[in-house]
Amino acid sequence: MAMIVLQVLPSLQAGGVEQSTVEITAAITAAGGRAIVASAGGRLVPAIERAGGRHVTLPLATKDPFRIWRNAAALADLVRAERVAIVHARSRAPAWSAWLAARRTGAHFVTTAHGVYAEDLPLKRRYNAVMAMGERVIANSRHVGDRLAQRHGVGPDRLRVIPRGVDPASFDPDAVDSARIARLASLWRLPDGAPVLLLPGRLTRWKGQALLLDAMARMQDRRTVAVLAGDAQGRHRYVASLERQAGALGLSPRVRLPGHCADMPAAMAAADLVVNASLLPEPFGRTIIEAQAMRRPVLAADHGGAAETIEPGATGWRFPPGDAAALACALDAALALPAHARAAVGARARAAVCAGYTTAAMQAATIAVYRELLDA
């Protein structure tokens, strides 16, 4: 059976789910298959096309039950027309449409759980259950895989843990020239000689930007500059609250909110330390391995995927989640290390990423899941 795979997700804006979709599109094409992606569209549609895929625009970001039903019909038509063998869903609302379409057409159904979903209401568990209904259920970390097994009874016969990966050629400190770093340093008004803390990620409360500001106010080192690089995605009130917080703490001259950064390797090269301060467990934490690939030491909250990708004291540091005082101490301690000691941490981190967390490894493992089903 031909490897014709339809990946389904809400939209193609910036984010880990979207980037993984692009990477698997490239892998399907390289394996001699045909890759189709259905979403509501977004800035990464051209990346899908450059990777050899075809994009079909459907209103898959909706959670409206009637629209989900209509989307199922549209996806079923697409599956039949393109002779799709595998429907691969990456998010809950479009997964329901994809599951219905797969049932109606006989296509194989695969899911990837990119996160751990709240189940505080009875209907929530039922809504989330679609991510555990695949013939193969991919989890992007052991943390996510354990939750799928515990909450939804996904057994080892169906569960596949495939960590997300980074391209060590794109995130290679030796490949980032000084002009790229200087451009960002100028754009972000980074003062010479000041230690730079980079927190990459969407500007949303659970990512912990406010916690980092609280920690900066407690640090002994008063020279540090924090760059909170990420897209607010319309959360203007949260951005305003961060600006007010920085002002109240006397940090405004040392805080930058540049928005979306298109050159993340250069951003990480410009930083002395990269911080992941998420208040909730990261399902995986892609920016952690990106920073590690760039030989940048990372300080991350000690839960979720970070516990799998950081060996404390060897490839980075972990601190108690939500503890601003502990984060401040960890930042001061890391900055107080001699440059060669921090460089050694960064070198070990890159070696660990190249050994176990590459895009190529993630692509190969996903293609192997597809072949499992097609061969069966």
Side-chain angles (χ1 to χ4, degrees):
M1 186 179 292
M3 187 185 293
I4 304 173
V5 181
L6 169 63
Q7 296 182 84
V8 180
L9 69 163
S11 66
L12 278 164
Q13 302 297 346
V17 175
E18 293 85 346
Q19 188 58 41
S20 294
T21 304
V22 174
E23 290 162 352
I24 296 305
T25 296
I28 294 165
T29 303
R34 198 146 57 84
I36 306 167
V37 175
S39 83
R43 63 163 66 110
L44 287 180
V45 169
I48 292 291
E49 294 167 347
R50 286 195 299 271
R54 175 192 166 201
H55 181 262
V56 177
T57 303
L58 290 172
L60 290 164
T62 182
K63 295 181 180 179
D64 177 78
F66 177 70
R67 297 302 295 271
I68 287 173
W69 189 263
R70 289 188 63 182
N71 284 336
L75 288 174
D77 288 344
L78 181 61
V79 168
R80 295 187 188 101
E82 299 293 338
R83 299 183 180 179
V84 169
I86 297 172
V87 180
H88 186 167
R90 295 181 174 275
S91 185
R92 291 168 295 174
W96 281 107
S97 299
W99 175 70
L100 288 167
R103 288 191 67 186
R104 293 171 186 177
T105 60
H108 294 290
F109 182 57
V110 174
T111 59
T112 291
H114 291 270
V116 176
Y117 310 111
E119 297 191 335
D120 47 344
L121 298 172
L123 286 178
K124 271 281 192 178
R125 178 168 289 233
R126 178 59 183 153
Y127 177 61
N128 297 342
V130 69
M131 301 309 294
M133 289 160 57
E135 294 170 65
R136 295 296 181 273
V137 178
I138 298 171
N140 65 359
S141 68
R142 293 194 304 274
H143 169 67
V144 173
D146 289 346
R147 295 302 186 276
L148 287 166
Q150 293 163 8
R151 295 180 179 179
H152 298 283
V154 182
D157 57 324
R158 293 191 296 127
L159 182 63
R160 302 290 182 270
V161 176
I162 303 177
R164 286 161 67 178
V166 62
D167 178 5
S170 298
F171 285 85
D172 180 356
D174 298 328
V176 178
D177 61 56
S178 57
R180 287 167 61 185
I181 301 170
R183 186 186 69 81
L184 281 182
S186 174
L187 182 66
W188 293 347
R189 298 173 290 106
L190 300 179
D192 292 339
V196 176
L197 311 176
L198 174 68
L199 196 162
R202 297 188 308 278
L203 295 185
T204 182
R205 199 168 301 279
W206 79 270
K207 286 290 186 179
Q209 289 91 358
L211 180 73
L212 177 58
L213 297 186
D214 284 340
M216 282 183 68
R218 298 167 184 253
M219 289 177 66
Q220 294 178 3
D221 192 325
R222 299 289 176 170
R223 303 167 300 144
T224 55
V225 173
V227 180
L228 311 180
D231 195 335
Q233 296 178 334
R235 300 180 187 90
H236 306 301
R237 290 184 180 178
Y238 180 57
V239 175
S241 74
L242 291 173
E243 292 170 341
R244 288 194 301 272
Q245 181 185 4
L249 295 172
L251 297 173
S252 293
R254 297 195 284 130
V255 174
R256 308 289 186 267
L257 289 157
H260 174 72
C261 177
D263 191 353
M264 196 52 70
M268 289 171 171
D272 293 279
L273 298 172
V274 175
V275 179
N276 181 297
S278 297
L279 304 180
L280 301 174
E282 287 278 3
F284 179 77
R286 187 188 192 107
T287 57
I288 293 174
I289 61 169
E290 289 176 345
Q292 290 176 321
M294 289 297 297
R295 298 196 198 110
R296 284 298 173 266
V298 181
L299 291 90
D302 190 8
H303 53 184
E308 301 172 33
T309 54
I310 295 177
E311 183 183 349
T315 62
W317 298 275
R318 306 200 303 248
F319 65 91
D323 191 333
L327 175 54
C329 289
L331 289 167
D332 277 325
L335 291 173
L337 286 174
H340 69 85
R342 284 206 307 273
V345 171
R348 288 191 294 267
R350 178 172 171 82
V353 166
C354 291
Y357 295 102
T358 64
T359 300
M362 183 268 287
Q363 290 171 318
T366 305
I367 294 296
V369 169
Y370 295 160
R371 292 200 189 281
E372 258 186 78
L373 294 173
L374 295 177
D375 290 347

